[in-house]
Amino acid sequence: MTHSSRDALGRVDPRALEGARVTAHHAAQPLAAAAYRYVAKKPDDSHSNLLWSSERERFHGRELPGGHRCFVDIVGLGIGIQGADGQDVSRFDLGGRTFEEAFAALGDALAGIGCDDGRGPLVLPTYDLPDSELQRGAAFPDDGPDERAEVARWHARASAMLRGLSEASLGGAEVRCWPHHFDCAAFVALDEDADPESARSVNVGFSPGDGAIAEPYFYVTPWPVPNTTALPPLEGGATWHREGFTAAVLRGTEVVAAGDAERQAAFVREALDGAVAAAFEVLGATPPGAAG
């Protein structure tokens, strides 16, 4: 296996993954388009998010009519549909193909399994993506398989780590990948019936990198945004990020420097445990796993 949740991170420098993660981010967008078209809408937009399959080592979308699921293979750079029996019923390789062709191919495959509402081709969701020549008609690159494998490895390991943390400390909150930012996170709502703009929450997640931090990183975000001049000290290795957004952050370069896979996992867990405790502290709440 090239990118399982058991592999150590760092085969490729975390600071050298921007191109690969932008490619992977765009490759996931036809899945989001399919979800917006064919999956029952949820108020929190969770109908559009993805799940990392440790068995198939790829992202799957939410269930479609007939038990089908769309998938995106980051390493092999392909998209397709998996049947209810777990077997692939279609696959479209993206290398050398355009963004527009990717949407058309998945749309055709969906029509082939009976998903056709007469509204024409799938369309890009109405949110901003990282700037890329793909949006201007360029083809998906055929090169960079090592970098794509490393992006997949980060997602695999992060998903496993976040699920373990969620089960232990976050009340089993679901860990999903959000196609808008291509980050994986577990969301804990603390004030269920309050106004979403003011209701307290904690988001614990992983980003493969973005415009704010150009390398993979883990984060813990308390909401509403706390007073940044009175944030508590963090134990375990994370630091407070205050520019553009407020969160406890653990950068990928620090994770890689921790050592082998086992040491990396322990380092991330210790950092996230400390960050989660601090986030709940600033919100005046107790983590679900610590209650009672």
Side-chain angles (χ1 to χ4, degrees):
M1 294 184 181
T2 58
H3 51 283
S4 85
S5 61
R6 298 179 295 277
D7 290 340
L9 301 163
R11 296 185 188 181
V12 178
D13 188 325
R15 296 163 293 190
L17 297 175
E18 180 178 3
R21 58 100 169 156
V22 169
T23 294
H25 192 166
H26 282 74
Q29 296 313 305
L31 275 68
Y36 282 118
R37 181 72 65 87
Y38 297 114
V39 179
K41 183 177 177 58
K42 295 186 177 181
D44 63 358
D45 213 38
S46 61
H47 58 290
S48 71
N49 60 27
L50 312 173
L51 175 69
W52 180 264
S53 168
S54 57
E55 179 182 359
R56 301 300 298 271
E57 297 190 323
R58 64 193 190 189
F59 279 116
H60 288 163
R62 296 282 185 178
E63 187 172 307
L64 298 170
H68 297 85
R69 294 181 187 273
C70 296
F71 69 81
V72 57
D73 172 9
I74 295 174
V75 182
L77 200 57
I79 57 175
I81 301 173
Q82 176 180 296
D85 61 358
Q87 301 300 308
D88 293 348
V89 297
S90 68
R91 179 186 171 93
F92 180 74
D93 291 324
L94 297 176
R97 309 294 184 86
T98 67
F99 204 32
E100 182 178 355
E101 287 176 314
F103 281 84
L106 188 60
D108 288 345
L110 288 166
I113 61 168
C115 293
D116 186 358
D117 59 4
R119 286 189 286 170
L122 296 177
V123 296
L124 181 68
T126 56
Y127 48 62
D128 293 331
L129 292 173
D131 186 53
S132 170
E133 288 300 318
L134 288 166
Q135 298 170 39
R136 292 180 283 277
F140 281 92
D142 287 314
D143 59 353
D146 291 342
E147 288 77 10
R148 291 199 305 274
E150 187 70 1
V151 171
R153 190 175 298 112
W154 274 101
H155 270 296
R157 297 222 61 210
S159 293
M161 293 174 185
L162 292 172
R163 287 172 189 166
L165 175 65
S166 178
E167 292 169 2
S169 306
L170 303 176
E174 187 179 43
V175 176
R176 305 287 299 199
C177 179
W178 298 82
H180 183 184
H181 296 293
F182 205 44
D183 62 326
C184 294
F187 178 80
V188 182
L190 302 177
D191 304 315
E192 295 285 354
D193 299 324
D195 181 342
E197 290 300 315
S198 59
R200 297 174 303 162
S201 65
V202 173
N203 214 26
V204 184
F206 160 79
S207 169
D210 52 35
I213 301 177
E215 63 177 286
Y217 64 93
F218 290 87
Y219 63 85
V220 178
T221 307
W223 180 267
V225 177
N227 181 351
T228 58
T229 63
L231 294 171
L234 295 171
E235 298 181 0
T239 58
W240 286 109
H241 179 91
R242 296 176 171 85
E243 297 181 11
F245 64 94
T246 300
V249 165
L250 181 66
R251 293 174 180 260
T253 46
E254 297 172 319
V255 175
V256 170
D260 61 20
E262 184 175 351
R263 291 186 177 90
Q264 289 173 359
F267 179 59
V268 171
R269 181 57 182 269
E270 183 177 4
L272 291 182
D273 281 344
V276 166
F280 278 88
E281 177 185 337
V282 300
L283 295 176
T286 302

